[in-house]
Amino acid sequence: MTGAWALLGAVAVVAAVAAVLRVRDGRVRAAKPRRDLPAPVRDLLDRDTPVTLVQLSTTFCANCRQTRAVLEDLAARTAGLRHVELDVTDLPDVAADLKVLRAPTTLALDASGAELLRFGGVPKPDRLVAALRPHLPDPIG
């Protein structure tokens, strides 16, 4: 009987963790100020683009493809917005320096490299648009 209770407890813990992850997935978070960016991220910035979405992905990430599709579509139809992807599979120091714990994580950076916001998982387009609107020169189309 003890084994059944242990199994039931394990299932409950897994269900709770899954629920928390589902709620947090795609949630836009305010940026934390930082002094500098790792060189691989800094090299992706374009000084002529107001906002760059830097998607941090890994080789075997299933949600990274879906995130890429959402962000590429948004960048293609939005003036002043650019999307780039950085595979951090072989760059664990970059992920650690940015305090990234999951893939995909996307950072919205201004032209100087200041972090405007970040989100983990597949973004919810309506939330992302609302969060980016104050940082872009033209309305999102």
Side-chain angles (χ1 to χ4, degrees):
M1 190 66 175
T2 304
W5 284 111
L7 179 63
L8 184 60
V11 168
V13 168
V14 168
V17 169
V20 168
L21 289 176
R22 185 177 302 266
V23 168
R24 293 187 64 184
D25 196 37
R27 182 177 62 121
V28 176
R29 295 185 304 270
K32 296 178 181 171
R34 48 178 302 114
R35 291 189 320 254
D36 58 340
L37 287 173
V41 175
R42 191 175 50 248
D43 294 344
L44 295 173
L45 296 177
D46 177 7
R47 297 284 180 191
D48 297 326
T49 304
V51 178
T52 300
L53 298 174
V54 179
Q55 178 184 336
L56 304 172
S57 301
T58 58
T59 303
F60 301 104
C61 169
N63 288 332
C64 293
R65 289 185 300 275
Q66 187 177 1
T67 298
R68 181 183 320 116
V70 169
L71 297 180
E72 284 177 350
D73 176 61
L74 186 61
R77 59 188 175 89
T78 306
L81 185 64
R82 181 171 166 253
H83 169 256
V84 294
E85 187 172 4
L86 179 63
D87 186 336
V88 294
T89 302
D90 297 324
L91 302 170
D93 53 327
V94 171
D97 188 33
L98 294 170
K99 296 180 177 35
V100 170
L101 302 176
R102 66 185 287 200
T105 293
T106 303
L107 310 175
L109 304 172
D110 71 9
S112 71
E115 186 176 326
L116 304 171
L117 54 96
R118 70 170 51 200
F119 55 91
V122 180
K124 296 178 177 27
D126 54 334
R127 290 184 189 172
L128 182 56
V129 166
L132 289 174
R133 189 166 277 125
H135 305 288
L136 295 169
D138 296 323
I140 297 174

